[in-house]
Amino acid sequence: MAYRQLKPDIRRYQTCALIQFGYLLRVLQHLATGKPDKVSGLCAKAIRKLQAKHFDTHLHAQSFYYMQLAAQIQLGQYDAGLQSLDQLLGCVQAGDFNWFKFRELGLMLMLHTARYEEAVFLFNETVSNPCSEALSESNMLYWEMCCNYLMLLHRAGTVETEPQRGRLPVNDEPWQNRIEPEENMAPYTALLILDWLRLFQEQRHAELRRLSINLNRHAIRYQKLGVQTRSYCFLKFLCLLSSTDFTGEAMDTLAISAMEQLGKVPVQIAQQTLEIELIPYDALWRLIRKMPEQKDRKSAPSGVTHSAGSGSCGA
């Protein structure tokens, strides 16, 4: 309705402000209904119209590059997403608040498209910036969380380059004690899953079964809210895995149903915040399945042994 009222003026005057607000209204409609393909297309149109002006329109286009990149992450469009990221980073100085925010999205793009080596490179470069020490608590939590996910991939042999703490603070307090689940459901979910993965990787099965109580409790929160179907399914899947003997056959049997449920709500249409699923759950399952094999190779006499907790990025 609001866009229809603006449409005659947009066509008549074609000012940057009218183009920006008109397209923002249209984009927000599709954001509300979970249509990343529509969002990406409209953002591209808005950017082209702004670029046709004979003066610098970067500030007006910045919001569209940002929303376009978020949509490209959901759609798994790596090359197009990198172009959007380059445009965004070209608008800011290294170390600015938005520089870190744009790089958050860049890291999500790489994790969602399994460009893990590139993700580690971007991560190490970002946290080594002196301005990272001034990040807010919530932003610092995001980078700490990414550090731990990347370290998990490194210990599993998925990436060769080791993530560096850079200027991130050292905090040994358990993740579950640092944030309130009711107020921060997205990061709390990601951190619970991270805890489960690390315990599984270290074969601390008794602790895994105790953690599954919290997983189940948190899954019920999602069920009551009627949202985040993917996270609910994956949390319940991890709870079920915790009740098995962790053999490949038992896990594979449970995975058939779980992956089928996730397939009904692919990440492209799941109405959830991006940070809740830093690495798509389907990819996390493939990582889980490889962990016991990788652990066996490390423990073999001819292999190189590593401490399960060495090189940890915190938590």
Side-chain angles (χ1 to χ4, degrees):
M1 185 67 178
Y3 173 73
R4 288 179 189 156
Q5 292 174 337
L6 276 178
K7 193 172 182 180
D9 289 334
I10 294 173
R11 286 184 171 177
R12 182 177 178 183
Y13 299 109
Q14 289 289 301
T15 67
C16 284
L18 282 172
I19 292 171
Q20 182 181 18
F21 290 122
Y23 273 93
L24 276 175
L25 289 170
R26 297 178 68 186
V27 168
L28 290 173
Q29 284 181 316
H30 293 299
L31 278 175
T33 54
K35 297 178 180 176
D37 53 335
K38 297 286 187 182
V39 169
S40 182
L42 282 172
C43 286
K45 286 183 181 179
I47 290 166
R48 285 196 297 270
K49 282 189 174 291
L50 290 168
Q51 287 177 337
K53 300 295 181 183
H54 300 295
F55 49 86
D56 187 4
T57 57
H58 268 91
L59 284 177
H60 291 89
Q62 194 175 121
S63 57
F64 294 107
Y65 280 119
Y66 188 88
M67 291 185 291
Q68 185 180 51
L69 177 52
Q72 287 161 340
I73 292 170
Q74 288 181 275
L75 296 168
Q77 297 173 345
Y78 179 71
D79 292 332
L82 279 187
Q83 293 178 22
S84 298
L85 179 62
D86 286 342
Q87 291 292 337
L88 284 168
L89 292 175
C91 299
V92 294
Q93 293 290 323
D96 286 353
F97 175 80
N98 280 343
W99 184 79
F100 285 100
K101 292 303 293 181
F102 299 158
R103 281 177 162 252
E104 283 183 19
L105 281 188
L107 189 58
M108 287 184 201
L109 173 70
M110 293 166 186
L111 291 175
H112 270 249
T113 53
R115 264 65 171 199
Y116 299 133
E117 289 290 348
E118 291 90 338
V120 174
F121 178 82
L122 184 144
F123 174 85
N124 287 347
E125 186 180 57
T126 303
V127 298
S128 66
N129 188 289
C131 295
S132 62
E133 295 176 348
L135 288 171
S136 67
E137 185 178 351
S138 60
N139 288 326
M140 192 72 77
L141 177 67
Y142 171 83
W143 289 102
E144 284 185 81
M145 183 165 60
C146 289
C147 184
N148 280 273
Y149 268 103
L150 291 172
M151 183 56 70
L152 186 86
L153 293 171
H154 176 65
R155 289 199 302 264
T158 305
V159 295
E160 294 183 4
T161 308
E162 184 174 0
Q164 303 299 316
R165 288 203 61 84
R167 295 172 182 269
L168 293 178
V170 176
N171 193 328
D172 294 326
E173 185 179 1
W175 287 112
Q176 297 174 56
N177 298 340
R178 294 174 59 183
I179 57 175
E180 292 295 327
E182 289 81 3
E183 298 173 7
N184 303 276
M185 285 193 74
Y188 189 80
T189 301
L191 293 171
L192 268 181
I193 292 171
L194 176 62
D195 282 344
W196 193 97
L197 291 168
R198 291 185 65 184
L199 290 174
F200 180 75
Q201 189 175 53
E202 295 166 13
Q203 296 191 357
R204 292 154 64 182
H205 295 164
E207 292 174 67
L208 266 182
R209 293 187 175 95
R210 288 195 293 271
L211 178 62
S212 69
I213 297 172
N214 282 342
L215 288 174
N216 189 61
R217 187 182 298 124
H218 195 56
I220 291 171
R221 290 191 186 102
Y222 281 119
Q223 189 178 40
K224 288 181 178 178
L225 291 173
V227 297
Q228 314 288 20
T229 303
R230 283 181 62 84
S231 293
Y232 171 77
C233 290
F234 196 68
L235 287 169
K236 294 297 288 185
F237 173 51
L238 295 183
C239 288
L240 290 171
L241 288 182
S242 302
S243 66
T244 69
D245 56 2
F246 299 104
T247 61
E249 183 179 353
M251 294 194 299
D252 288 344
T253 301
L254 290 172
I256 294 172
S257 174
M259 294 304 111
E260 183 180 335
Q261 290 179 39
L262 287 177
K264 292 177 181 177
V265 189
V267 70
Q268 291 84 357
I269 64 169
Q271 295 188 34
Q272 60 183 25
T273 56
L274 290 172
E275 66 268 19
I276 198 172
E277 197 170 341
L278 283 175
I279 298 176
Y281 295 143
D282 322 65
L284 282 183
W285 158 241
R286 291 192 291 272
L287 177 65
I288 290 169
R289 190 63 186 85
K290 290 178 181 177
M291 281 182 185
E293 299 171 4
Q294 204 269 342
K295 183 80 173 181
D296 291 341
R297 286 197 298 271
K298 282 189 176 182
S299 60
S302 59
V304 179
T305 59
H306 298 272
S307 171
S310 64
S312 174
C313 284

